[in-house]
Amino acid sequence: MGTIWFPVLYLLLAITSSLAELQETHLLQHKQASIRLDIYHDHGPATSHNLTSKHKTPIFFSDVLLRNEERVKALHSRLVNKSSSSSLVASKKAGVPLKLKSISIPLNPAFSIGSGNYYVKIGLGTPTKYYTMILDTGSSFCWLQCRPCISCHTQIDPLFDPSKSKTYKTLSCHTSQCSSVKDATFNNPSCDAKSSNACEYTASYSDTSQSQGYLSQDLLTLTPFQTLPGFVYGCGKNNLGMFGTSDGIVGLAQHQLSMLSQLSPKYGSVFSYCLPTVSSGRGGFLSIGNLSLAMPNISTAYRFTPMLSDSAAPNLYFLRLTAITVAGRRLEVSPASYRVPTVMDTGTIITRLPESVYTALREAFVNVMSKRYAQAPAYSILDACFKGSLHNMPVVPEIQMIFRGAANLTLKTPNVLIDGVKGITCLAFASSGSTTNQIAIIGNHQQQTFSVAYDVSNSRIGFAADGCH
Ligand SMILES: *[C@@H]1O[C@H](CO)[C@@H](O)[C@H](O)[C@H]1NC(C)=O
Ligand SMILES: *[C@@H]1O[C@H](CO)[C@@H](O)[C@H](O)[C@H]1NC(C)=O
Ligand SMILES: *[C@@H]1O[C@H](CO)[C@@H](O)[C@H](O)[C@H]1NC(C)=O
Ligand SMILES: *[C@@H]1O[C@H](CO)[C@@H](O)[C@H](O)[C@H]1NC(C)=O
Ligand SMILES: *[C@@H]1O[C@H](CO)[C@@H](O)[C@H](O)[C@H]1NC(C)=O
């Protein structure tokens, strides 16, 4: 079987150091406007900047899907093993150390830049330097690789050097932030007695991926006029695993250490984003703050569904799918089939559905498609494939994902299909597995080009079509 090569090209923001000086005098006066950052995809086309060749690692798409499957498995085991998580809550109250085995695998936010992820650039330190960070709605903790490094992977930008930032500070293990590290990283922090009781975090992402280092504080710069002094994050000196060439991870889930929570006193507990398609690579944004719901082109078009929570993963964002239509016809599955924990995740590529729902979707879709296009063998986790490339498939049945309330995702052809190997195009959905406890994940391929709003204050999630501008 053939493979596609994706040249990994990065778009980088041009940031001049003179802006860093401006910011210091102006930023505190600019309260409450929402923050807007550009979002890029790791396979997007290069426009203004080229990276050196060492960063242009070729990636096999089948590998990308397989690695992404690890994230899905981790999420699955975290959400379906509810009994172990309730005992976790009980043991936390009793001060007993966490049972790492049952909970230490959050999402694998990692499988990197280079694996279907989206990223943003954030500024850190004084003077401000900019870093390329994976954007992750599936985790809360923020960290980046730091000097002096025991184990660091090759990253896009120069390593963060705390000794060069005059606003950098290590947090001691007696601080409240250190106490909250456990719930954000799933591991107890430790106290480094040799280094003035510095708080040491360990963020585990799977059996093999983790970041470990000092809990730190520094000035966060999002735009030259929007900053947050004392931003809490991990300065990772020991980073092992599949983090690609990103500098670190920005967690946007709901724990108090997430970037969203830290910004919310000033901007409100709301954010929105639009993930650009891989081929256009343009128009993606992350907007944080109350005003992010009032973006000119999309304010009237948001339609909302209630934001749900799940005790197994209180920091993640859940919603409820109620129906799926293919070419206007509802799938014939019982409404109960949709009642599983359904999580919004920027780090999963392909949407996962409970097996009975996926089987019905696949059948309905293949039924219509096979009248026009020849079927092809399965590709990786995708098992509804057709001969031909996406560009040569003008007539594809529309799929609508309908959520509780008024919201839906009316998917366009590029959200429905994905190019597999050369000349083969597949339905971009998969089953979450055949166990009795099932989950669903709304992946990034289906979210592309929609504006997605997380109005945490009002517990609702909104979608608006054509959101990338
Ligand atoms: C990036 O590389 C491409 C092809 O190698 C070249 O055409 C383009 O001019 C380069 N862009 C910049 C900004 O250097
Ligand atoms: C989840 O629970 C099942 C059985 O209850 C167990 O076999 C499995 O190992 C658990 N998974 C994790 C990640 O703890
Ligand atoms: C954001 O809006 C919520 C209500 O929707 C309000 O309670 C909060 O004070 C606002 N926050 C800011 C920073 O404006
Ligand atoms: C609104 O959308 C139009 C095209 O649809 C675009 O030209 C314009 O720049 C957008 N405005 C904003 C503020 O994003
Ligand atoms: C889906 O949302 C669009 C607006 O985004 C709306 O026009 C359409 O009626 C909705 N469809 C359903 C079935 O609710």
Side-chain angles (χ1 to χ4, degrees):
M1 186 162 286
T3 33
I4 316 183
W5 290 80
F6 283 102
V8 180
L9 302 168
Y10 301 96
L11 312 175
L12 299 176
L13 275 176
I15 313 274
T16 61
S17 57
S18 60
L19 293 178
E21 286 148 29
L22 266 178
Q23 118 221 330
E24 281 177 28
T25 47
H26 287 87
L27 46 99
L28 292 171
Q29 293 140 31
H30 286 70
K31 285 187 122 178
Q32 291 182 15
S34 72
I35 299 162
R36 188 182 154 117
L37 303 176
D38 290 338
I39 287 184
Y40 304 108
H41 188 275
D42 51 6
H43 297 145
T47 50
S48 55
H49 284 261
N50 285 340
L51 293 166
T52 56
S53 59
K54 72 176 172 183
H55 298 306
K56 292 185 183 172
T57 319
I59 307 282
F60 291 104
F61 186 56
S62 55
D63 290 348
V64 170
L65 288 181
L66 283 180
R67 287 176 184 177
N68 203 234
E69 186 69 5
E70 293 302 311
R71 182 183 177 101
V72 172
K73 280 188 195 145
L75 187 49
H76 189 272
S77 55
R78 188 166 156 206
L79 290 173
V80 301
N81 279 20
K82 293 191 182 177
S83 53
S84 50
S85 99
S86 26
S87 70
L88 173 81
V89 172
S91 68
K92 264 189 311 198
K93 286 197 180 115
V96 175
L98 296 184
K99 289 180 192 154
L100 291 181
K101 204 156 176 107
S102 60
I103 193 95
S104 72
I105 4 183
L107 310 184
N108 217 318
F111 293 118
S112 93
I113 230 165
S115 305
N117 273 303
Y118 286 90
Y119 65 96
V120 292
K121 299 274 282 184
I122 63 164
L124 201 63
T126 308
T128 304
K129 300 264 170 58
Y130 284 81
Y131 299 92
T132 306
M133 310 280 280
I134 294 172
L135 174 73
D136 190 15
T137 58
S139 64
S140 293
F141 195 66
C142 305
W143 63 268
L144 85 177
Q145 301 197 111
C146 271
R147 270 187 210 286
C149 209
I150 296 167
S151 167
C152 281
H153 55 261
T154 304
Q155 64 173 42
I156 292 175
D157 308 293
L159 277 175
F160 178 74
D161 187 347
S163 70
K164 299 268 164 63
S165 170
K166 60 178 193 239
T167 41
Y168 175 85
K169 189 175 145 191
T170 305
L171 286 166
S172 97
C173 52
H174 304 302
T175 56
S176 61
Q177 291 96 334
C178 188
S179 319
S180 65
V181 154
K182 186 163 74 174
D183 287 344
T185 63
F186 307 103
N187 290 311
N188 275 311
S190 61
C191 208
D192 186 351
K194 280 177 288 186
S195 181
S196 24
N197 289 331
C199 177
E200 279 200 77
Y201 74 92
T202 303
S204 325
Y205 296 99
S206 70
D207 287 348
T208 53
S209 293
Q210 67 167 40
S211 168
Q212 192 223 332
Y214 293 122
L215 191 66
S216 306
Q217 269 189 322
D218 208 338
L219 178 71
L220 172 70
T221 298
L222 293 165
T223 70
F225 304 107
Q226 292 167 307
T227 65
L228 179 72
F231 174 65
V232 180
Y233 65 97
C235 198
K237 58 180 176 178
N238 211 339
N239 312 290
L240 299 169
M242 312 290 287
F243 301 109
T245 52
S246 68
D247 304 342
I249 294 173
V250 160
L252 281 174
Q254 298 181 66
H255 184 271
Q256 68 199 78
L257 285 184
S258 83
M259 191 169 88
L260 176 71
S261 303
Q262 293 191 58
L263 290 168
S264 63
K266 196 165 165 189
Y267 295 98
S269 199
V270 181
F271 68 99
S272 63
Y273 58 69
C274 184
L275 307 177
T277 58
V278 179
S279 55
S280 94
R282 273 191 289 276
F285 69 85
L286 167 67
S287 177
I288 300 172
N290 278 2
L291 288 179
S292 64
L293 289 182
M295 303 264 305
N297 280 350
I298 52 183
S299 58
T300 53
Y302 274 122
R303 292 167 71 103
F304 289 95
T305 184
M307 182 184 283
L308 307 179
S309 58
D310 190 304
S311 59
N315 299 332
L316 302 187
Y317 300 104
F318 296 88
L319 38 54
R320 178 54 35 82
L321 193 57
T322 56
I324 293 180
T325 66
V326 174
R329 296 187 58 177
R330 282 187 182 226
L331 301 182
E332 288 175 16
V333 294
S334 80
S337 318
Y338 294 101
R339 281 184 218 127
V340 298
T342 301
V343 63
M344 292 290 294
D345 187 25
T346 54
T348 297
I349 304 170
I350 303 292
T351 289
R352 301 302 202 284
L353 297 170
E355 188 164 55
S356 59
V357 177
Y358 175 69
T359 304
L361 170 65
R362 180 182 188 280
E363 192 184 314
F365 188 76
V366 169
N367 216 353
V368 182
M369 281 293 279
S370 60
K371 297 201 172 93
R372 212 172 257 277
Y373 307 104
Q375 286 184 249
Y379 176 76
S380 182
I381 59 163
L382 308 173
D383 66 357
C385 300
F386 305 89
K387 291 183 181 152
S389 65
L390 208 150
H391 322 285
N392 299 326
M393 295 188 175
V395 191
V396 170
E398 182 184 88
I399 294 181
Q400 273 201 342
M401 303 175 74
I402 299 169
F403 299 92
R404 182 184 287 173
N408 70 71
L409 288 172
T410 298
L411 303 179
K412 297 186 176 147
T413 301
N415 301 115
V416 169
L417 295 172
I418 193 161
D419 282 318
V421 291
K422 200 173 188 314
I424 296 203
T425 302
C426 304
L427 176 64
F429 284 82
S431 164
S432 64
S434 56
T435 56
T436 47
N437 291 317
Q438 298 196 62
I439 63 164
I441 305 170
I442 312 300
N444 68 36
H445 194 74
Q446 278 66 39
Q447 296 181 42
Q448 281 172 6
T449 73
F450 290 89
S451 270
V452 183
Y454 296 70
D455 183 358
V456 182
S457 317
N458 297 302
S459 290
R460 55 184 192 160
I461 292 175
F463 300 111
D466 300 319
C468 293
H469 290 292

